[in-house]
Amino acid sequence: MQPYAEIEGRILALMDNEDDTISLMATVAAELYQAVEGFDWVGFYRVTEPGLLKIGPYQGGHGCLVIPFDKGVCGAAARTGETQRVDDVDAFPGHIACAASTRSEIVVPVRNGAGDLIAVLDIDSDTPAFFKSDDQVFLEALMEKVFGRI
Ligand code: SME
């Protein structure tokens, strides 16, 4: 179990009533990437038009710029509105490999206060099956706390 209470406290303290989406995404990406060994890529893909995700703030090696909703793990999360937890990316049909070192991945839908899907949070790990249900619970709650008020 990661020190999630501490990580969340730090992130929420940094928000300081900020409501700019990009500023919030940049802060979350930096904090999560620094805080958890095993989070080897952390970033957001934003919904920029119906059915399309474009890269947002991230930490790690370069990510691909555009992901349609019908492609990859990110597209599956955006399309279904459900978190995707993938223990073995090679076994996921249509996985988009941005870094050859990635072994497992979690993608969490991000909604604003009105409930509109505005982005997905994508975290990749070089460790197989890195993400457990407690990670999913924490990340889903964090996205709600940070972006549910904008
Ligand atoms: N693996 C993702 C693509 C984004 S990168 O990993 C940064 C996917 O299949 O959607």
Side-chain angles (χ1 to χ4, degrees):
M1 179 79 178
Q2 307 295 339
Y4 276 140
E6 192 187 315
I7 296 170
E8 179 179 291
R10 205 162 51 233
I11 290 176
L12 295 180
L14 282 167
M15 308 273 111
D16 194 27
N17 291 324
E18 182 55 65
D19 63 1
D20 181 84
T21 310
I22 299 293
S23 302
L24 292 171
M25 289 177 177
T27 304
V28 168
E31 281 299 312
L32 290 178
Y33 182 75
Q34 299 283 342
V36 183
E37 204 170 322
F39 284 8
D40 296 309
W41 193 94
V42 180
F44 290 87
Y45 280 91
R46 299 164 301 124
V47 180
T48 54
E49 60 187 86
L52 199 69
L53 296 163
K54 284 198 178 181
I55 192 84
Y58 67 95
Q59 301 272 316
H62 76 86
C64 46
L65 271 67
V66 180
I67 302 179
F69 274 29
D70 61 357
K71 296 268 160 56
V73 186
C74 291
R79 196 169 65 243
T80 61
E82 302 284 338
T83 295
Q84 306 290 307
R85 218 165 78 214
V86 179
D87 285 346
D88 174 4
V89 293
D90 292 333
F92 188 95
H95 169 255
I96 302 163
C98 290
S101 55
T102 299
R103 298 272 62 90
S104 63
E105 170 162 3
I106 189 169
V107 182
V108 179
V110 177
R111 294 190 180 81
N112 62 16
D116 305 320
L117 182 78
I118 57 168
V120 298
L121 168 67
D122 178 9
I123 305 180
D124 297 346
S125 181
D126 294 349
T127 304
F130 186 78
F131 304 97
K132 312 292 186 218
S133 64
D134 61 329
D135 302 298
Q136 177 172 348
V137 168
F138 165 71
L139 293 168
E140 288 175 347
L142 182 67
M143 292 304 98
E144 159 101 44
K145 281 177 194 160
V146 174
F147 297 100
R149 59 197 182 83
I150 57 172

